[in-house]
Amino acid sequence: MRIHTPPSAVDVVVVGSGNAGFSAAVSAAERGAGRVILIDKCPAEWAGGNSFFAAGAFRTVHDGTEDILPIVNNVDSEIARIIDPEPYSQHDFRRDVDRMTSDRTDPALSQILIDDSNDAIKWLASNGVRFQLSFNRQAYKVSGRFKFWGGMTLKTEDGGKGLTEDHEAAARRHGVEVYHSTPARRIVTNVFSAIVGLVVECNGVETLINTRAVILAAGGFESNPRLRAQYLGPGWDFAWLGAGCHSTRWDANAPANGGDRTISSEFTKSGYPLGLMVNTIGERFVDEGMDMRNYTYAKFGRTIHEQPDGVAFQVWHQHAIPWLRSEEYRDEIVHKIWGSTVEELAEKLRAEEGLSSPDKFNPAAKWDPAIKDGLSTQSSRTKLPLAKSNWALPFDQGPFIAVKVCCGVTFTFGGLAVNPETTAVISRSGREVAGLFCVGEMPGGGLTSSAVFGRRARAAAASLVAGQSAMSRDLSTPTRGGPSSYARL
């Protein structure tokens, strides 16, 4: 099939069709940046990048019900009376960022993320992104009320699939031209190292697009086993692909390479805080209840990867099973191993992986999955060698189930330094590259970050091209050293 060829001269080229790329492109067009095009090497049916496979959760500062209900579409008057979305302040966001990164986050980047998060979410909503309260992922109904937890109240309708659909619709409304099956090959600069063009491949032929601004939003290197081993360490070339490294607990029976665009993020297995995890020699290796799932799932994915054979089992008793989310644990999605007793389950797992019996927990009086309830295995009478700090009910209510999980690489991130204010790329000499911007996973971040800095890039790009058309750009000045010095993507 012949692919439509992009124009030879535009004002802004965005590389990548994920949340960051579309946010930058739509915002640039909205800002009056001239002719804006978005290119991606994937075919049209694979649009969305990693964002397509996301569950669609956005972490944002908000003031509670009155602030967020106007932008969601799944709360009627009856439900509104039984929800408790607590405000999430800038202090809360900062505390969580610092705690999760051990105070190693870039202070300027993270502060802009925090400060701009609410405006970015509302801008997305104004451009047709359908937001909902995340009842399925971030709330439990306890005593007749929905209690939200973990600081992420909002998600997009139909997750990353819906987010991609909404972005594509917004791009069409704002006149952004999208060209798929068009990989970027080389950045072209003039003698002043300023961006003057981008070489792309279309229908097997390389062609030059003259432009004043290029916004890179092309994601990470998670699909490349060699680069994973090189930059993440030994063994990461064998990790499963779901869509530093962002990893998760992934269904061990899922396809090893490549995403399923129908099942998508449902291969993730997030119910471990309510049960326990054991490796193939029957040992618990993490405190499953040390924190809410939001704050542990990525590092636990890495820990699973470090276990024998790189796999583990999530195990639950009957009291916890009804609380497992159906989109991750329904029979159509995951293979379940059942046992009427702990010993029977252990025997079945032993036959498969050599697993011994799981640890038993201390009795507990009151259990609440929506808060860190403090029901621990550690008491004055009994202490396990490895604690379970919350949600530790006695493991004595059968039948029991187990699910085999592994580590899934959802995305890699980081690598390019940018000016936090403008997202302009910083060269090795410490100077900004005029006309080159970078957003999304390439400098590092998730959905909220992609939207925040995508909008920042559009402002800088629009300012760059203001009052001047790339159509009349004089490219007669040769690139320093000729074509061999072009930057390769």
Side-chain angles (χ1 to χ4, degrees):
M1 180 180 67
R2 185 170 179 80
I3 306 302
H4 188 51
T5 303
S8 61
V10 300
D11 294 290
V12 179
V13 181
V14 179
V15 183
S17 65
N19 181 53
F22 271 115
S23 293
V26 169
S27 189
E30 186 181 60
R31 184 88 173 204
R35 191 174 187 181
V36 179
I37 70 170
L38 183 150
I39 66 170
D40 200 312
K41 68 179 180 181
C42 72
E45 59 268 24
W46 276 84
N50 280 342
S51 300
F52 183 94
F53 296 96
F58 280 76
R59 182 180 296 273
T60 180
V61 169
H62 66 84
D63 293 331
T65 306
E66 293 183 0
D67 192 19
I68 57 179
L69 285 193
I71 65 170
V72 302
N73 65 11
N74 64 337
V75 177
D76 57 24
S77 57
E78 183 178 345
I79 294 178
R81 290 194 292 268
I82 57 172
I83 59 175
D84 295 318
E86 294 185 3
Y88 190 67
S89 67
Q90 290 186 330
H91 172 75
D92 295 331
F93 204 152
R94 167 54 65 188
R95 178 198 60 205
D96 284 342
V97 168
D98 291 342
R99 183 165 61 95
M100 291 300 101
T101 63
S102 300
D103 294 315
R104 297 180 66 186
T105 182
D106 181 293
L109 276 171
S110 58
Q111 194 58 52
I112 288 174
L113 168 64
I114 294 167
D115 293 344
D116 289 7
S117 60
N118 189 279
D119 284 343
I121 298 299
K122 291 177 179 176
W123 172 80
L124 287 173
S126 72
N127 272 285
V129 173
R130 297 162 293 165
F131 282 102
Q132 298 182 329
L133 289 189
S134 186
F135 292 107
N136 64 326
R137 292 181 60 86
Q138 297 297 144
Y140 288 111
K141 194 172 186 180
V142 180
S143 300
R145 301 192 65 81
F146 286 103
K147 300 174 67 174
F148 291 84
W149 48 269
M152 289 201 295
T153 307
L154 294 174
K155 74 175 188 71
T156 52
E157 182 176 338
D158 204 17
K161 301 176 188 178
L163 176 62
T164 301
E165 292 173 0
D166 295 343
H167 272 312
E168 290 177 322
R172 289 191 293 269
R173 289 195 301 271
H174 287 281
V176 175
E177 303 166 44
V178 179
Y179 298 89
H180 288 285
S181 300
T182 306
R185 295 303 186 196
R186 296 184 299 279
I187 294 170
V188 184
T189 59
N190 61 17
V191 293
F192 304 105
S193 297
I195 298 298
V196 293
L198 181 70
V199 175
V200 303
E201 181 182 321
C202 189
N203 297 309
V205 178
E206 289 192 350
T207 183
L208 173 66
I209 302 174
N210 299 332
T211 185
R212 294 285 315 276
V214 172
I215 302 176
L216 300 176
F221 55 85
E222 63 278 349
S223 63
N224 189 314
R226 180 183 61 81
L227 292 179
R228 294 203 306 270
Q230 180 179 351
Y231 291 108
L232 303 181
W236 282 96
D237 47 335
F238 296 109
W240 264 245
L241 289 186
C245 159
H246 191 280
S247 56
T248 189
R249 304 90 34 249
W250 200 247
D251 191 331
N253 295 308
N257 294 292
D260 185 310
R261 289 175 73 84
T262 301
I263 297 178
S264 187
S265 63
E266 294 179 17
F267 280 131
T268 58
K269 297 292 169 274
S270 305
Y272 61 87
L274 307 184
L276 55 86
M277 286 197 293
V278 292
N279 60 23
T280 57
I281 57 176
E283 296 174 339
R284 291 179 56 237
F285 52 91
V286 293
D287 177 353
E288 304 91 342
M290 66 184 298
D291 210 329
M292 310 301 289
R293 183 264 308 166
N294 304 52
Y295 305 118
T296 60
Y297 72 94
K299 63 181 177 181
F300 282 2
R302 174 182 287 269
T303 306
I304 290 171
H305 191 61
E306 297 168 349
Q307 301 309 302
D309 301 321
V311 298
F313 291 93
Q314 297 178 348
V315 185
W316 300 272
H317 51 76
Q318 194 57 226
H319 187 86
I321 290 173
W323 294 90
L324 300 179
R325 300 205 315 271
S326 62
E327 67 267 27
E328 291 187 0
Y329 292 102
R330 67 182 186 271
D331 292 341
E332 299 88 343
I333 293 296
V334 66
H335 171 63
K336 298 173 182 175
I337 305 168
W338 288 87
S340 58
T341 65
V342 170
E343 290 74 22
E344 179 185 344
L345 180 65
E347 184 61 32
K348 288 184 177 181
L349 301 185
R350 184 184 302 117
E352 182 174 339
E353 297 287 348
L355 183 66
S356 60
S357 180
D359 295 304
K360 295 184 177 180
F361 292 163
N362 291 330
K366 187 176 180 181
W367 187 78
D368 188 341
I371 62 172
K372 290 195 286 186
D373 58 11
L375 299 182
S376 172
T377 57
Q378 314 304 90
S379 72
S380 59
R381 292 180 291 117
T382 307
K383 292 185 178 180
L384 295 180
L386 176 59
K388 185 175 182 185
S389 300
N390 294 282
W391 312 295
L393 287 179
F395 214 79
D396 57 4
Q397 299 182 45
F400 306 89
I401 65 169
V403 169
K404 187 177 180 181
V405 293
C406 63
C407 172
V409 177
T410 49
F411 59 86
T412 57
F413 55 86
L416 288 181
V418 298
N419 178 335
E421 296 290 338
T422 64
T423 77
V425 173
I426 307 297
S427 69
R428 292 181 179 178
S429 66
R431 298 180 179 179
E432 293 186 10
V433 180
L436 184 62
F437 307 92
C438 184
V439 295
E441 292 160 13
M442 298 180 76
L447 291 179
T448 304
S449 174
S450 296
V452 165
F453 292 104
R455 296 181 74 214
R456 289 254 167 179
R458 67 75 161 104
S463 178
L464 181 69
V465 301
Q468 193 171 16
S469 172
M471 300 294 185
S472 59
R473 179 70 173 169
D474 182 5
L475 296 180
S476 60
T477 305
T479 303
R480 182 183 303 162
S484 62
S485 69
Y486 288 177
R488 288 197 173 272
L489 296 180

